[in-house]
Amino acid sequence: MARLPALDPNTVPERRTSIYPEPFRSRMGDRSKRRLGDACGLTRFGVNLVTLGPGGQSALRHWHTLEDEFVYVLSGEVVLVTNDGEQVLRAGMAAGFPAGKADGHHLINRTDRPAVYLEVGDRLVGDEVHYPDIDLFVSADMTFRHKSGEPY
Amino acid sequence: MARLPALDPNTVPERRTSIYPEPFRSRMGDRSKRRLGDACGLTRFGVNLVTLGPGGQSALRHWHTLEDEFVYVLSGEVVLVTNDGEQVLRAGMAAGFPAGKADGHHLINRTDRPAVYLEVGDRLVGDEVHYPDIDLFVSADMTFRHKSGEPY
């Protein structure tokens, strides 16, 4: 049995919730996350072990003003969507999204089997999140808003 | 061919150097790292794909005052050494080392085949690194020093 600081990810609860407002929340489909970094007591960055079932999505296509993000595919395959179009990421491939780069990204599982990846992101007060394709952004006070500024 | 923001880790150069002063540098043995986060343009945290050959070590046993660290084993197995002793981490297992927790850690490959893992750490000015077992520390100005304070 692993004991901290080591961790067997299977002992970390799976979370299937999303904090997006509707109608966006239900678009995520079959997605579960295990918060490995939190389970290890980390606070500076988060590390999630994510499983996307067929049709599942990592997130709405977005970019962060202050936070770097990184993903590493462990099994299965996902489609990475950015301004440049689509590319397939298979097990052993990675992708990184530097803070402030105004190019939205997300991952979609278009196969008929699960895909598993690690996602890493740092945690910074005042970060904003922008969603180029939809009427949504997250302001620096961590509120989901319409592009007009009005809260959801 | 993957294009940024995606990355095939095999296209990232392997680094076999260590910045430790001797006699510590040569203790690391067979260790190579690919700096995936840097290759993706990330600056807030680093993500390295590390291969330890038989006898290789991740680092001298250490802890950071300001930086969180996280590892996820991809293949093979390593021994994690902390104040509590040793435990074996196999593929699919993780470990996390919160900033400021005064419990040194490192990984050793005691098998006869390679072990591969991801390591993540954030980057903060003023971080110190402490090595409980040897006459070494890194001061906030990023200088390797004897415990007396004298630089190496």
Side-chain angles (χ1 to χ4, degrees), chain A residues 66-120:
Chain A
L66 298 182
E67 295 187 3
D68 278 354
E69 291 184 281
F70 180 87
V71 298
Y72 185 94
V73 180
L74 296 169
S75 63
E77 69 178 53
V78 291
V79 174
L80 168 64
V81 184
T82 65
N83 287 352
D84 282 341
E86 300 191 349
Q87 52 186 321
V88 173
L89 304 188
R90 298 187 174 85
M93 291 187 67
F97 312 103
K101 186 177 178 193
D103 183 359
H105 65 273
H106 66 163
L107 306 174
I108 305 173
N109 180 356
R110 296 225 181 96
T111 76
D112 58 5
R113 63 202 172 100
V116 182
Y117 60 90
L118 289 171
E119 64 181 10
V120 183

Side-chain angles (χ1 to χ4, degrees), chain A residues 1-9 36-37 40-45 47 49 65-70 72 74 80 82 84-87 89 92-99 101 103 105 118 120-122 124, chain B residues 1-9 36-37 40-45 47 49 65-70 72 74 80 82 84-87 89 92-99 101 103 105 118 120-122 124:
Chain A
M1 186 66 188
R3 61 182 192 280
L4 288 177
L7 187 71
D8 178 348
L36 306 189
C40 292
L42 304 188
T43 57
R44 310 272 178 173
F45 55 83
V47 183
L49 181 65
T65 55
L66 298 182
E67 295 187 3
D68 278 354
E69 291 184 281
F70 180 87
Y72 185 94
L74 296 169
L80 168 64
T82 65
D84 282 341
E86 300 191 349
Q87 52 186 321
L89 304 188
M93 291 187 67
F97 312 103
K101 186 177 178 193
D103 183 359
H105 65 273
L118 289 171
V120 183
D122 55 337
L124 292 164
Chain B
M1 186 66 186
R3 59 183 194 279
L4 287 177
L7 188 70
D8 178 348
L36 305 189
C40 292
L42 304 188
T43 57
R44 310 272 177 171
F45 55 83
V47 183
L49 182 65
T65 55
L66 299 182
E67 294 187 4
D68 279 353
E69 290 183 280
F70 180 86
Y72 184 93
L74 296 169
L80 167 64
T82 65
D84 282 341
E86 300 190 349
Q87 52 187 320
L89 305 188
M93 291 185 67
F97 312 102
K101 186 177 177 194
D103 183 358
H105 65 272
L118 289 171
V120 183
D122 55 338
L124 292 164

Side-chain angles (χ1 to χ4, degrees), chain B residues 69-128:
Chain B
E69 290 183 280
F70 180 86
V71 298
Y72 184 93
V73 180
L74 296 169
S75 64
E77 69 178 52
V78 291
V79 175
L80 167 64
V81 185
T82 65
N83 287 353
D84 282 341
E86 300 190 349
Q87 52 187 320
V88 173
L89 305 188
R90 297 187 175 85
M93 291 185 67
F97 312 102
K101 186 177 177 194
D103 183 358
H105 65 272
H106 66 163
L107 306 174
I108 305 173
N109 180 356
R110 296 228 180 94
T111 75
D112 57 4
R113 62 201 172 100
V116 182
Y117 61 90
L118 289 171
E119 63 181 12
V120 183
D122 55 338
R123 290 170 169 165
L124 292 164
V125 173
D127 184 47
E128 296 177 5

Side-chain angles (χ1 to χ4, degrees), chain A residues 27-44:
Chain A
R27 292 188 192 172
M28 296 304 98
D30 183 0
R31 182 189 73 177
S32 72
K33 299 190 180 196
R34 297 180 197 263
R35 296 186 172 186
L36 306 189
D38 288 359
C40 292
L42 304 188
T43 57
R44 310 272 178 173

